[in-house]
Amino acid sequence: MKMRLKKLRLSFPLVLALIGANSHAEKISLDDCDLITAKPLRADFQSWLNKNRKLANEGNVEALTMVAAEANNRLACLEEKITENSGWSMTMSSAEGTSETTSNPGIPNIKKNADAYAALKDAVKYTHLAGATDPAYRGMSAQLVLRYQATLPEALETAYEDVAGANQLECVLKRKFGKRDAQFACSSHRTTLAQLITKIPAERRALLDQKAHQWAAGFPVK
């Protein structure tokens, strides 16, 4: 039995000069909880966020991945603060290829915390959109919805389609994406699918599977 620890936060250090600010701009790290959860936000970070959200909503792929990372990290930071959970998830994989993942269960009654609920909605929105061009984000989106299924029941079908597409691409068609560990990715996809299958009627799953297969089949070969 192998055990992996995976941090929920994504680390994205940025230099504002790269997006048009002055050359003396401070470095931004999306792994800095004090920075991304501050009220009010630091002016240079707020400017970066506004610009990249606008670009993301226009379909810019790089901006989508950045704002998805920011929202996921902001949510993880608030989860750690509110629940006092370390923000780590643990996956145990057997030699037979089965796996079991345990992670931070999330913030109870998250709608009662306006900042955390806003972070959750942003994370779901942008991670799903980033998943159009990256199977890793499709899996992340599905896992996020699954963790907050009581708050996001309307997003369960989208989550199922997301992870079904990622599974079809990486585990059925076996297309390698970047430097991802295919064995670990497929174990994660299978675990997420197994949990979502019980929450969606069979006839709906059939339609979602068809859409997921179409997405995977049309994904550009790299």
Side-chain angles (χ1 to χ4, degrees), residues 85-125:
N85 185 287
S86 65
W88 290 82
S89 66
M90 179 175 67
T91 298
M92 292 183 290
S93 303
S94 71
E96 292 76 27
T98 59
S99 67
E100 180 179 357
T101 300
T102 57
S103 63
N104 179 350
I107 300 169
N109 301 314
I110 191 171
K111 285 186 177 181
K112 293 183 178 180
N113 186 302
D115 291 339
Y117 186 46
L120 173 61
K121 290 191 293 183
D122 284 345
V124 169
K125 173 184 176 180

Side-chain angles (χ1 to χ4, degrees), residues 135 138 160-170 208 212-213 215-216:
R138 290 179 78 97
Y160 179 88
E161 182 184 337
D162 276 347
V163 72
N167 184 69
Q168 181 72 14
L169 180 73
E170 297 188 287
L208 297 170
H213 294 172
W215 173 82

Side-chain angles (χ1 to χ4, degrees), residues 11-201:
S11 183
F12 283 87
L14 304 171
V15 179
L16 287 182
L18 297 179
I19 61 169
N22 66 71
S23 60
H24 300 292
E26 293 183 60
K27 181 176 290 188
I28 285 178
S29 172
L30 297 186
D31 202 35
D32 183 345
C33 286
D34 290 336
L35 174 69
I36 65 177
T37 63
K39 296 185 75 174
L41 292 176
R42 203 173 74 194
D44 54 359
F45 178 55
Q46 182 70 71
S47 176
W48 176 89
L49 194 57
N50 292 343
K51 178 176 181 178
N52 279 273
R53 282 178 176 171
K54 181 177 184 296
L55 290 171
N57 289 326
E58 294 170 353
N60 182 282
V61 173
E62 183 178 359
L64 273 172
T65 60
M66 290 297 180
V67 294
E70 183 277 330
N72 274 278
N73 286 8
R74 179 162 33 104
L75 177 61
C77 289
L78 292 169
E79 286 176 340
E80 291 181 14
K81 180 179 180 180
I82 294 168
T83 68
E84 298 183 350
N85 185 287
S86 65
W88 290 82
S89 66
M90 179 175 67
T91 298
M92 292 183 290
S93 303
S94 71
E96 292 76 27
T98 59
S99 67
E100 180 179 357
T101 300
T102 57
S103 63
N104 179 350
I107 300 169
N109 301 314
I110 191 171
K111 285 186 177 181
K112 293 183 178 180
N113 186 302
D115 291 339
Y117 186 46
L120 173 61
K121 290 191 293 183
D122 284 345
V124 169
K125 173 184 176 180
Y126 290 116
T127 305
H128 166 68
L129 291 174
T133 56
D134 188 334
Y137 280 90
R138 290 179 78 97
M140 289 168 56
S141 176
Q143 291 168 8
L144 183 57
V145 171
L146 190 58
R147 287 174 57 224
Y148 284 99
Q149 59 186 285
T151 305
L152 304 167
E154 72 285 353
L156 285 170
E157 289 195 0
T158 300
Y160 179 88
E161 182 184 337
D162 276 347
V163 72
N167 184 69
Q168 181 72 14
L169 180 73
E170 297 188 287
C171 313
V172 178
L173 298 179
K174 298 186 183 303
R175 292 185 183 172
K176 184 173 177 59
F177 188 86
K179 298 181 179 180
R180 276 166 62 74
D181 182 337
Q183 182 179 0
F184 179 65
C186 291
S187 293
S188 177
H189 295 335
R190 285 194 296 267
T191 299
T192 305
L193 274 172
Q195 294 177 74
L196 285 168
I197 281 172
T198 63
K199 305 179 189 308
I200 300 170

